[in-house]
Amino acid sequence: MKQTEKHVQIMTAAAALFAKYGYKKTSIDEIVSAAGISKGLFYHYYTNKAELYVSLYDTYADILSRRVREDVNREEQDFFERLKQISHIRIDFIRQYPDLWGFLYSAYYEEHPDVAPRIKEKNERLLESSCDNSAANIDWSKLKAGISPEKAIELVTWLAEGFVRKVNQGGIRWEKEPYLEFDNYIEILRTGL
């Protein structure tokens, strides 16, 4: 579906409301009011709130995934350097689209039965694709004995998610260049792993 200005207004308003209140507590009436459109126009684009929610998640998760696929240097074999690249992309996305990141983050943990199964399925496909693409060509021999690539990925993913959440919640001032702060955390992990 081609995105018109009104369609973008719906998506932007819905992302902010879903991020703030969650799926269940956000109504179509609130979305159309925030978007400045009629309810009829909403139904021109979407049959219901669940369709909008899943469509939003698909759209913005795909945008972020595409940026990672296109912007990460697959020739870089160092796991930690590759992680820095991916995290810088995520931080840029947060800076550019704070409401959208808030929505993506909250949707990842959404439990409402109208949308949770579809979001979970999408997440599993994204994770599989992401791990395949992000971990391709990595030199794992630099990890300490007894630390598997899976454990290293899990640990640094937790670090990245926590850091990105901190950035998104305003815990880091942008003047401090969050990339440098995150890179310092990665260097601490590098010595431990």
Side-chain angles (χ1 to χ4, degrees):
M1 172 189 311
K2 184 179 178 194
Q3 291 189 354
T4 65
E5 182 181 336
K6 295 293 184 185
H7 188 217
V8 171
Q9 286 173 237
I10 294 168
M11 295 173 70
T12 303
L17 290 167
F18 286 139
K20 188 172 185 178
Y21 301 113
Y23 176 79
K24 184 177 181 178
K25 292 182 181 178
T26 300
S27 71
I28 291 175
D29 287 337
E30 291 168 318
I31 294 168
V32 299
S33 176
I37 60 157
S38 70
K39 203 178 248 189
L41 188 57
F42 174 89
Y43 287 111
H44 171 75
Y45 289 105
Y46 299 100
T47 56
N48 56 40
K49 182 172 73 167
E51 181 187 5
L52 167 60
Y53 192 90
V54 173
S55 175
L56 266 175
Y57 192 79
D58 285 347
T59 299
Y60 295 114
D62 288 346
I63 289 169
L64 185 55
S65 294
R66 185 176 61 245
R67 284 194 56 200
V68 168
R69 277 192 316 273
E70 292 172 358
D71 296 347
V72 169
N73 176 5
R74 299 282 185 287
E75 300 302 314
E76 175 59 64
Q77 294 185 339
D78 184 277
F79 170 64
F80 297 98
E81 292 303 318
R82 185 89 58 95
L83 178 68
K84 286 179 190 179
Q85 292 176 30
I86 293 167
S87 296
H88 291 188
I89 291 167
R90 291 174 76 183
I91 292 167
D92 280 344
F93 190 85
I94 291 169
R95 288 176 77 172
Q96 230 176 336
Y97 311 105
D99 287 334
L100 299 180
W101 179 262
F103 166 71
L104 285 173
Y105 184 80
S106 67
Y108 185 84
Y109 295 103
E110 181 59 59
E111 295 180 357
H112 196 281
D114 287 356
V115 293
R118 291 187 277 174
I119 297 296
K120 183 179 179 190
E121 179 185 323
K122 175 77 174 178
N123 287 338
E124 288 170 359
R125 286 193 319 266
L126 283 172
L127 184 60
E128 186 177 303
S129 165
S130 171
C131 285
D132 290 346
N133 290 323
S134 300
N137 201 33
I138 293 290
D139 177 8
W140 296 108
S141 67
K142 294 181 181 179
L143 291 178
K144 289 185 178 178
I147 298 177
S148 69
E150 294 78 20
K151 285 291 181 197
I153 289 171
E154 188 173 41
L155 181 62
V156 293
T157 298
W158 290 340
L159 169 67
E161 286 178 359
F163 184 83
V164 167
R165 189 175 327 120
K166 183 178 174 184
V167 169
N168 195 36
Q169 293 171 346
I172 295 176
R173 294 189 339 264
W174 290 112
E175 307 87 62
K176 288 175 33 178
E177 281 303 321
Y179 309 110
L180 297 175
E181 188 166 340
F182 181 78
D183 291 353
N184 288 334
Y185 290 122
I186 292 297
E187 292 307 317
I188 291 168
L189 274 183
R190 181 193 303 267
T191 59
L193 295 176

